[in-house]
Amino acid sequence: MPFAVFDVDGVVADVRHRLRHVARPPKDWARFFSAADRDPPLSEGTDLVHRYARDHDLVWLTGRPEWLRPVTEKWFAKHGLPAGRLLMRPEDDRRPARDYKLSRLRRLARDGEIAVIVDDDPAVVKRLKSEGFPVRLADWVPYERSLRQAQERDGRT
């Protein structure tokens, strides 16, 4: 089956309640990430995941750090989301999200067809489109400036 690739934060998980920890210096990344287990689900994203999971191999591609794997997997289970393959950012990788995700998708594309990629970061969407990937912008939550900086400048999510 072809792959359906979904981001987590801002697509299926509502991170707005924890953005205050990284909105201005000094950024408290520990508190930002420690609250990830309390993210409410975003129904637009979770519904879309369930639709694609019927006839696609699900891949989660997130900028969350690898050490959040257990929290993320528990969150998926708690909210009834299929596990799929979970690709997370290595601890030492601080590239902008658009570069990190492009690299991971190029490797994934060697394993099979990518039918869709759903991401909330306009810079990621623009970059992936320019590379010929089938990408859809998750626009059901306003894209926050602090999240953009975390993804594109800080290389943290």
Side-chain angles (χ1 to χ4, degrees):
M1 289 192 290
F3 296 118
V5 181
F6 283 81
D7 183 19
V8 177
D9 296 332
V11 175
V12 295
D14 190 345
V15 301
R16 289 177 288 183
H17 69 102
R18 52 190 172 108
L19 288 176
R20 62 191 163 90
H21 299 299
V22 297
R24 358 182 227 306
K27 295 179 182 187
D28 190 342
W29 291 104
R31 290 185 82 186
F32 175 78
F33 287 123
S34 71
D37 63 331
R38 295 186 296 279
D39 292 348
L42 294 166
S43 60
E44 296 90 337
T46 60
D47 291 349
L48 195 60
V49 166
H50 286 293
R51 282 199 302 268
Y52 274 102
R54 289 185 210 133
D55 54 5
H56 292 77
D57 283 332
L58 183 64
V59 177
W60 298 101
L61 175 58
T62 180
R64 287 182 177 196
E66 181 62 43
W67 63 267
L68 268 181
R69 181 176 294 274
V71 169
T72 303
E73 289 172 338
K74 272 180 79 173
W75 189 90
F76 289 159
K78 176 181 176 183
H79 296 288
L81 290 167
R85 185 188 316 184
L86 178 56
L87 305 176
M88 303 186 79
R89 186 187 289 269
E91 298 297 327
D92 60 348
D93 190 332
R94 292 286 186 266
R95 291 177 290 169
R98 65 186 177 270
D99 297 331
Y100 160 71
K101 290 184 176 183
L102 176 60
S103 172
R104 295 301 297 256
L105 288 163
R106 283 178 174 157
R107 281 186 272 163
L108 180 64
R110 290 184 227 147
D111 294 339
E113 175 195 355
I114 297 174
V116 67
I117 302 160
V118 182
D119 201 288
D120 69 313
D121 183 338
V124 169
V125 169
K126 181 179 178 183
R127 179 73 181 275
L128 297 179
K129 278 186 180 181
S130 75
E131 296 287 330
F133 284 100
V135 62
R136 174 179 174 175
L137 178 65
D139 58 1
W140 34 90
V141 173
Y143 192 64
E144 302 281 340
R145 183 174 164 245
S146 54
L147 185 57
R148 180 179 65 238
Q149 182 161 343
Q151 292 174 326
E152 295 304 324
R153 261 201 225 145
D154 301 332
R156 299 287 291 206
T157 187

